[in-house]
Amino acid sequence: VRIPEGSLLAGKSLKELEIRKNYGVIVVAIIREENIIVSPSPLFPLQSGDTIIVVGSVENVKKFVRLVEGKEE
């Protein structure tokens, strides 16, 4: 899922967001421009335009996508 411009996730680390704990998905890679960061550090800061590759149940992945798109309930 791609982080849009102005996203609340931009500038935050994976640790700050507690993605696994809060959304039940695991970040396995981040694509930034031409680079693929596999198994990123918890301190890795996200940026607008990054694509986050996650694994988890279909339900949890959909929940995470809603967060990234700013449509979380």
Side-chain angles (χ1 to χ4, degrees):
V1 62
R2 188 175 180 91
I3 300 176
E5 285 294 323
S7 171
L8 297 176
L9 277 68
K12 294 187 179 173
S13 71
L14 298 174
K15 183 178 181 179
E16 284 177 279
L17 295 169
E18 296 185 312
I19 293 171
R20 185 175 186 175
K21 177 181 173 185
N22 293 328
Y23 298 94
V25 297
I26 299 168
V27 176
V28 295
I30 296 173
I31 302 170
R32 178 174 290 164
E33 299 173 6
E34 302 286 322
N35 302 309
I36 300 173
I37 299 97
V38 178
S39 191
S41 160
L43 301 178
F44 188 87
L46 297 174
Q47 296 179 359
S48 296
D50 285 352
T51 299
I52 305 172
I53 309 300
V54 299
V55 294
S57 69
V58 172
E59 181 180 319
N60 287 347
V61 170
K62 286 181 181 180
K63 182 178 176 182
F64 182 69
V65 169
R66 287 193 301 270
L67 165 75
V68 173
E69 292 177 345
K71 299 175 183 172
E72 184 182 37
E73 297 172 3

